[in-house]
């Protein structure tokens, strides 16, 4: 894919979602880290409902390790995999206290060493909390990138990130991450993408395939069926 096409994709999505932003509610780097950790295999909307009460009860890493694990589990029980996530949170908080003075480190390499913090979470934290350019690849970013040909279908998450980092200007990594998420969440959805009104349909492999399939189905539905009498006359002539 050439630079002109990449620029067209970025500008088009920017025009559709100019105000894209992180939709996980948080007040600081620590809350953001907890929220992103909870968001794995869970919607941002559900996480925000849980953290509305969670962040009122817990303010510091010490708060999280001062309660029994079972209590923390109950506080986040609406979140998928809540038992594992509760363990990760307490282990993470213990490390923050022992090694970082209770503060979240701003370096990507240090963040990924924390329990429950993967590459995506670290990218979200450094970019949103510390203003370090990063292109976090979640399910929406991965889907959009592959459909638009910015990455290959079989690329893993790291390969998708590397290709995006090469093709998108570094100063646009963070905002493009948010815009790709909005594009995937509200327009190019997994099950029912708005292909018929998409301004990027002409370069979207998935969109072209879907529209072609849709057209074939419509043609089959509108194709007139011969009545029995017509079929009979046709066979006797």
């Amino acid at each position: 894919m050439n630079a002109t096409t990449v620029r067209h994709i970025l500008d088009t999505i920017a025009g559709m979602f100019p105000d894209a932003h992180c939709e996980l509610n948080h007040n600081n780097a620590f809350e953001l880290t907890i929220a992103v950790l909870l968001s794995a295999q869970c919607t941002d909307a559900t996480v925000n409902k849980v953290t509305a009460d969670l962040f009122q009860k817990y303010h510091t890493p010490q708060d999280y390790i001062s309660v029994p694990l079972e209590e923390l589990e109950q506080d986040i029980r609406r979140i998928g995999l809540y038992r594992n996530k509760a363990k990760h949170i307490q282990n993470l908080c213990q490390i923050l206290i022992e090694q970082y003075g209770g503060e979240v480190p701003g370096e990507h390499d240090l963040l990924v060493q924390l329990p429950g913090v993967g590459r995506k979470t670290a990218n979200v934290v450094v970019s949103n909390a510390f203003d370090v350019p990063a292109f976090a690849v979640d399910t929406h970013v991965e889907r959009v990138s592959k459909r638009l040909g910015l990455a290959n279908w079989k690329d893993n998450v790291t390969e998708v990130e590397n290709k995006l980092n090469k093709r998108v200007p570094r100063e646009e990594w963070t905002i493009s991450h948010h815009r790709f998420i909005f594009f995937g969440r509200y327009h190019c959805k997994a099950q029912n993408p708005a292909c018929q009104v998409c301004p990027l349909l002409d370069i979207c492999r998935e969109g072209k395939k879907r529209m072609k399939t849709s057209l074939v189905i419509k043609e089959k539905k509108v194709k007139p069926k011969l009545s029995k009498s017509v079929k009979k006359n046709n066979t006797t002539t």
Side-chain angles (χ1 to χ4, degrees), residues 95-106:
I95 292 175
L96 292 183
I97 293 170
E98 294 176 352
Q99 299 184 21
Y100 301 105
E103 300 293 330
V104 174

Side-chain angles (χ1 to χ4, degrees), residues 37-42 73 76-89:
L37 187 157
L38 292 174
S39 71
Q41 299 184 40
C42 185
E73 288 177 349
I76 63 171
R77 66 187 182 280
R78 287 181 288 173
I79 299 287
L81 306 175
Y82 70 92
R83 288 192 174 88
N84 284 335
K85 291 177 181 179
K87 291 179 183 178
H88 287 323
I89 289 174

Side-chain angles (χ1 to χ4, degrees), residues 8-172:
H8 172 59
I9 292 173
L10 296 177
D11 290 344
T12 300
I13 295 179
M16 296 175 68
F17 302 101
D19 301 319
H21 58 278
C22 177
E23 293 192 296
L24 289 171
N25 296 332
H26 64 281
N27 295 303
N28 50 55
F30 177 58
E31 288 187 353
L32 178 60
T33 303
I34 298 298
V36 182
L37 187 157
L38 292 174
S39 71
Q41 299 184 40
C42 185
T43 66
D44 287 1
T46 299
V47 173
N48 286 336
K49 291 178 182 178
V50 171
T51 56
D53 294 326
L54 193 72
F55 293 161
Q56 289 295 318
K57 180 177 180 179
Y58 305 97
H59 301 282
T60 68
Q62 185 63 47
D63 293 335
Y64 283 94
I65 65 173
S66 296
V67 300
L69 177 61
E70 293 75 17
E71 182 175 343
L72 179 56
E73 288 177 349
Q74 288 304 304
D75 289 333
I76 63 171
R77 66 187 182 280
R78 287 181 288 173
I79 299 287
L81 306 175
Y82 70 92
R83 288 192 174 88
N84 284 335
K85 291 177 181 179
K87 291 179 183 178
H88 287 323
I89 289 174
Q90 287 199 333
N91 290 335
L92 178 150
C93 289
Q94 189 68 49
I95 292 175
L96 292 183
I97 293 170
E98 294 176 352
Q99 299 184 21
Y100 301 105
E103 300 293 330
V104 174
E107 294 77 24
H108 189 279
D109 291 344
L110 297 179
L111 283 166
V112 294
Q113 296 177 29
L114 297 173
V117 177
R119 186 172 186 83
K120 185 205 76 173
T121 299
N123 280 338
V124 173
V125 173
V126 298
S127 60
N128 288 278
F130 299 103
D131 295 323
V132 177
F135 212 131
V137 178
D138 71 348
T139 181
H140 299 296
V141 174
E142 180 179 8
R143 180 175 67 255
V144 168
S145 299
K146 290 182 176 181
R147 284 179 174 178
L148 293 176
L150 292 166
N152 296 326
W153 293 116
K154 295 183 179 180
D155 286 347
N156 59 39
V157 175
T158 302
E159 290 170 333
V160 172
E161 180 186 338
N162 290 337
K163 289 184 178 180
L164 290 173
N165 287 345
K166 290 179 180 179
R167 289 170 170 162
V168 178
R170 188 173 187 272
E171 63 273 16
E172 296 181 46

